[in-house]
């Protein structure tokens, strides 16, 4: 379905807009304002009943974006397709958005042929960005993107690019990763140790190997939802049974021919 949909508690969907929308974020839970990511930039809208009332575009952002995120300082992070990220200090709900200053940040990629696209997410309550240079964080002092050392060496060699990620209630970070050189796609989970460093397990969801995953969502009860190119997947670790003791294999008969 193309556009913006409103889904009620009974699962009934109402289409609010027919324009292509890639992401949305609500700056303040007490307001009806939504920020919607579209192919020609970000637009602000007010939700009134079952209608979206345009409030204008966010000035200075004209590139396509598939990711939006808000941090605790009311800054909007906009992941731009192949052009880094835009950082915007949002004004109040009653102030115009077309004159808002936009700060552009780019991940330090050594190879000019590597994509500069950045994926946005939240880990431990803070915005994190992933791309060809691994997991990044914003350094307030230098005003630049720097590596998050907790994820250093996560995949070993060769490394993989993280295209989308989500932290669950237990602190684990679920990731959809791509190793472009071998056209390898997989979903795995990074688990923190006692020192806070993360360790990779790429074999937890073999059913999704080779599939394209667009989004990952973690429910508070631990259920993981994954939107893939061939449908929606649900993973509940509580339903995975581990054997309590080794099974005994019994061979009753062997027959050979020839």
């Amino acid at each position: 379905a193309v556009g913006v949909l409103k889904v009620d508690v009974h699962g009934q969907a109402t289409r609010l807009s027919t324009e292509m929308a890639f992401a949305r974020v609500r700056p303040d839970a007490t307001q009806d304002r939504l920020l919607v990511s579209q192919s020609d930039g970000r637009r602000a809208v007010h939700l009134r009943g079952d209608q979206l009332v345009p409030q204008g575009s966010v000035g200075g952002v004209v590139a396509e974006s598939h990711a939006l995120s808000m941090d605790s300082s009311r800054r909007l992070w906009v992941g731009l397709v192949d052009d880094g990220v835009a950082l915007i200090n949002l004004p109040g709900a009653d102030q115009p958005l077309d004159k808002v200053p936009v700060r552009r940040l780019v991940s330090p990629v050594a190879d000019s042929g590597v994509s500069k696209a950045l994926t946005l997410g939240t880990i431990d309550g803070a915005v994190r960005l992933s791309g060809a240079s691994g997991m990044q964080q914003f350094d307030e002092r230098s005003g630049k993107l720097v590596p998050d050392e907790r994820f250093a060496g996560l995949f070993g060699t060769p490394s993989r690019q993280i295209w989308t990620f989500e932290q669950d209630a237990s602190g684990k970070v679920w990731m959809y990763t791509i190793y472009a050189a071998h056209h390898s796609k997989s979903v795995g989970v990074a688990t923190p140790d006692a020192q806070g460093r993360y360790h990779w397990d790429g074999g937890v969801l073999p059913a999704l190997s080779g599939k394209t995953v667009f989004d990952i969502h973690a429910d508070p009860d631990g259920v993981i939802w994954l939107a893939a190119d061939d449908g929606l997947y649900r993973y509940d670790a509580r339903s995975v049974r581990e054997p309590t003791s080794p099974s005994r294999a019994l061979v009753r008969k062997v027959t050979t021919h020839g």
Side-chain angles (χ1 to χ4, degrees):
V2 177
V4 179
L5 304 177
K6 177 183 177 182
V7 182
D8 62 24
V9 294
H10 304 293
Q12 298 297 316
T14 302
R15 190 186 302 277
L16 305 179
S17 168
T18 58
E19 295 186 58
M20 178 71 75
F22 301 107
R24 63 100 185 98
V25 67
R26 197 168 194 168
D28 191 331
T30 64
Q31 299 175 357
D32 289 333
R33 185 169 64 167
L34 297 174
L35 295 174
V36 181
S37 168
Q38 297 180 315
S39 59
D40 58 350
R42 275 25 38 196
R43 295 184 183 178
V45 293
H46 271 297
L47 177 61
R48 295 177 183 169
D50 288 338
Q51 303 225 340
L52 289 179
V53 180
Q55 196 189 8
S57 298
V58 178
V61 181
V62 295
E64 184 174 317
S65 167
H66 291 187
L68 299 174
S69 185
M70 292 288 299
D71 64 19
S72 58
S73 300
R74 284 189 52 80
R75 294 180 299 193
L76 174 67
W77 295 81
V78 183
L80 306 174
V81 173
D82 209 26
D83 197 20
V85 65
L87 180 58
I88 304 167
N89 289 304
L90 285 181
D94 57 344
Q95 299 179 18
L97 298 171
D98 57 343
K99 304 298 183 182
V100 175
V102 176
R103 183 175 188 177
R104 210 52 88 77
L105 300 170
V106 179
S107 179
V109 179
D111 188 346
S112 59
V114 175
S115 170
K116 296 180 181 179
L118 291 169
T119 299
L120 302 175
T122 302
I123 298 177
D124 296 332
V127 172
R128 289 294 182 266
L129 309 95
S130 65
S133 298
M135 193 68 74
Q136 306 281 307
Q137 61 183 339
F138 181 62
D139 181 36
E140 300 284 354
R141 181 173 299 179
S142 66
K144 297 180 180 180
L145 298 179
V146 298
D148 186 335
E149 295 299 335
R150 298 175 300 170
F151 294 88
L154 182 65
F155 305 112
T157 303
S159 187
R160 307 179 68 88
Q161 183 161 356
I162 306 167
W163 278 96
T164 186
F165 61 94
E166 172 82 352
Q167 187 176 40
D168 65 20
S170 69
K172 298 178 181 179
V173 181
W174 296 81
M175 302 176 177
Y176 165 61
T177 69
I178 295 178
Y179 176 37
H182 289 178
H183 304 286
S184 172
K185 306 175 182 178
S186 65
V187 175
V189 60
T191 303
D193 59 22
Q195 286 71 43
R197 295 187 66 87
Y198 285 84
H199 302 273
W200 179 246
D201 180 359
V204 65
L205 289 174
L208 273 75
S209 179
K211 301 183 186 299
T212 299
V213 176
F214 300 104
D215 197 14
I216 303 174
H217 174 77
D219 282 346
D221 60 1
V223 173
I224 307 298
W225 298 87
L226 305 104
D229 52 0
D230 63 345
L232 180 65
Y233 290 80
R234 180 181 185 274
Y235 174 74
D236 187 351
R238 297 169 301 180
S239 65
V240 180
R241 297 183 179 180
E242 299 290 341
T244 56
S245 60
S247 300
R248 296 176 59 190
L250 301 178
V251 180
R252 295 183 181 275
K253 183 179 181 181
V254 176
T255 300
T256 61
H257 298 280

